[in-house]
Amino acid sequence: MKKLFTSESVTEGHPDKLCDNISDAIVDEILKTDRNARCAIECCAAYDRLMIMGEVTTTAAVDYEKIARETIKDIGYDFGMFCYDKCKITVAVHSQSADIARGVDNSADENSLGAGDQGMMFGYACTETPELMPMTVSLSHKLAKRLEEVRKSGLMPYLRPDGKTQVTIEYDGKMPKRVDTVVVSAQHNAEVSQEKLKEDILKQVVSVIPPSLLDKETKYFINPTGRFEIGGPEGDSGLTGRKIIVDTYGGRCAHGGGAFSGKDPTKVDRSAAYMARYICKNIVAAGLADEVELQIAYAIGVSNPVSVFVDTYGTGKLSDSRIADIVVKEFDLRPYSVINRLGLRAPIYSQTAAYGHFGKSALPWEKTDCAEKLKKYLNE
């Protein structure tokens, strides 16, 4: 049965992603000297100003404004009202609420560390791509990342940091068949013509899509509204955590609602979502299913999950309930164990702030080191 599915991505200079980058840069800087810090940092950017807000409990001495300006500069905002050395920055950061901290701190020992909040987190994996991600979001990220590369390398020097991409794929049943539509919106300077922009994007950016997926029926929309000179926070406000579907699986599975960026790993919004991806990827790599979604739910201050749910969309070699039992047996889902298993107290978060938190081989939750162990259940 023919069907179409679409996912999107945004560049590191998109106003929401700019805020994610600053939030995670602050978390990383804190974790370099205080691995046990508690962080919940959010940023809001609009026109010529940035607010850094949230809760931090740490022994680290951190210059929030300096980190923000360095991040803005690295992304490429060295022009306009949001220029890295001109924008106005307000810092409104205080220590973590004692009521929230109590749920984590009152554990008898680290092994019984409680979840930093209630909520449900989801993981997902499928066989559509080598990295076991949905092809729509994988290609959208590649297009967005390529926009950054050609801008920073000087290959397309007229580009500016803001941009969005979108890919629609035609499926035959569960199998991706072809790319139906490609959308690219790229911020640019005043000098470049729309004709030149479209020609270069088709040649230098869209070329990351395998030619075998493109055909004469594929539709391309390059800057479909016309010129895109005003971008970034000057064009639209930005906020940490507002691109949660871009950050995860492009809409292919459920999302618990919690954002990732700016949070230390005691926040299960982040750590349990990473663990859920790790488990799903190993389930698929082991051949227990071709597609799997996993939900893990927690209560604040309680270490063990209140529920574990598995859906293999009919692709499981075992029943979904049996795979859920295997997850509980083989993976310790207590926050302290998750943090240790994945090495989440390290300053690794800046690399997640743009182009997705999943599908990047260097990240610890992308390992498939449990796949061989899980294969034994195929003999049941």
Side-chain angles (χ1 to χ4, degrees):
M1 180 179 67
K2 173 183 172 181
K3 61 181 180 180
L4 300 175
F5 191 81
T6 301
S7 296
E8 70 164 349
S9 183
V10 297
T11 64
E12 63 174 1
H14 183 281
D16 293 332
K17 276 291 143 201
L18 173 80
C19 291
D20 285 342
N21 272 277
I22 295 169
S23 294
D24 276 336
I26 291 171
V27 171
D28 278 354
E29 191 63 28
I30 291 172
L31 290 177
K32 286 177 183 177
T33 55
D34 182 6
R35 294 169 64 88
N36 295 309
R38 303 284 167 74
C39 307
I41 290 290
E42 296 181 5
C43 297
C44 178
Y47 192 55
D48 64 347
R49 62 198 62 212
L50 172 77
M51 174 175 276
I52 303 170
M53 52 195 169
E55 304 81 46
V56 173
T57 300
T58 183
T59 59
V62 175
D63 188 334
Y64 299 108
E65 181 174 335
K66 180 182 178 184
I67 295 168
R69 293 194 188 278
E70 289 175 348
T71 303
I72 295 167
K73 181 180 180 181
D74 182 65
I75 287 174
Y77 284 106
D78 54 5
F79 61 92
M81 298 302 295
F82 200 79
C83 183
Y84 73 94
D85 60 352
K86 295 178 182 176
C87 63
K88 304 175 183 70
I89 297 181
T90 302
V91 177
V93 176
H94 57 85
S95 60
Q96 185 182 42
S97 161
D99 291 343
I100 295 174
R102 185 179 297 114
V104 178
D105 293 338
N106 282 359
S107 305
D109 60 75
E110 285 189 310
N111 282 294
S112 59
L113 180 78
D117 201 354
Q118 71 173 47
M120 60 283 191
M121 297 80 212
F122 289 87
Y124 180 84
C126 65
T127 57
E128 286 183 19
T129 62
E131 62 271 28
L132 305 185
M133 287 287 286
M135 188 176 288
T136 50
V137 74
S138 179
L139 291 179
S140 294
H141 286 324
K142 288 179 180 179
L143 288 170
K145 179 65 174 175
R146 183 60 178 164
L147 280 175
E148 177 197 329
E149 291 169 350
V150 297
R151 171 175 62 88
K152 288 187 171 180
S153 69
L155 189 60
M156 295 175 65
Y158 53 80
L159 289 182
R160 286 182 167 173
D162 198 355
K164 301 181 75 171
T165 61
Q166 185 172 287
V167 174
T168 301
I169 288 181
E170 179 186 323
Y171 286 79
D172 184 0
K174 288 184 174 293
M175 296 299 296
K177 182 179 179 182
R178 55 180 289 275
V179 171
D180 182 81
T181 307
V182 177
V183 182
V184 179
S185 296
Q187 186 189 11
H188 56 83
N189 65 21
E191 285 71 44
V192 67
S193 69
Q194 290 300 291
E195 292 72 21
K196 171 68 172 171
L197 177 74
K198 291 178 180 180
E199 178 184 347
D200 286 353
I201 286 180
L202 287 170
K203 180 179 179 181
Q204 303 293 348
V205 178
V206 176
S207 58
V208 301
I209 298 177
S212 60
L213 292 172
L214 303 172
D215 57 34
K216 63 181 181 179
E217 302 299 323
T218 301
K219 300 177 284 294
Y220 303 94
F221 296 97
I222 312 300
N223 282 21
T225 62
R227 300 191 67 80
F228 183 8
E229 294 177 38
I230 302 171
E234 283 193 64
D236 195 5
S237 61
L239 186 66
T240 298
R242 199 157 56 182
K243 285 291 176 285
I244 56 177
I245 300 304
V246 170
D247 286 342
T248 52
Y249 307 101
R252 274 289 289 275
C253 73
H255 193 293
F260 302 155
S261 290
K263 297 177 180 177
D264 75 86
T266 66
K267 278 66 170 180
V268 285
D269 278 340
R270 183 165 219 165
S271 54
Y274 291 167
M275 187 64 175
R277 162 63 177 172
Y278 174 68
I279 294 169
C280 287
K281 192 168 183 183
N282 277 274
I283 287 171
V284 172
L288 296 182
D290 294 329
E291 181 181 16
V292 61
E293 175 182 304
L294 169 67
Q295 184 202 63
I296 309 171
Y298 291 88
I300 187 169
V302 180
S303 56
N304 283 304
V306 300
S307 68
V308 173
F309 170 82
V310 168
D311 186 352
T312 63
Y313 300 92
T315 70
K317 306 306 184 291
L318 306 171
S319 70
D320 291 351
S321 60
R322 177 57 183 145
I323 294 176
D325 290 340
I326 293 168
V327 169
V328 173
K329 179 180 179 180
E330 295 290 344
F331 298 94
D332 190 338
L333 299 175
R334 294 174 298 169
Y336 179 75
S337 298
V338 169
I339 290 168
N340 280 350
R341 182 164 194 160
L342 299 181
L344 298 183
R345 294 200 188 277
I348 58 175
Y349 298 109
S350 290
Q351 60 188 304
T352 69
Y355 315 117
H357 291 243
F358 307 119
K360 299 174 178 175
S361 60
L363 296 171
W365 48 88
E366 293 297 317
K367 295 178 181 178
T368 53
D369 51 353
C370 292
E372 285 302 316
K373 182 171 67 173
L374 294 179
K375 286 180 180 179
K376 65 186 178 186
Y377 292 103
L378 290 170
N379 299 319
E380 290 186 345

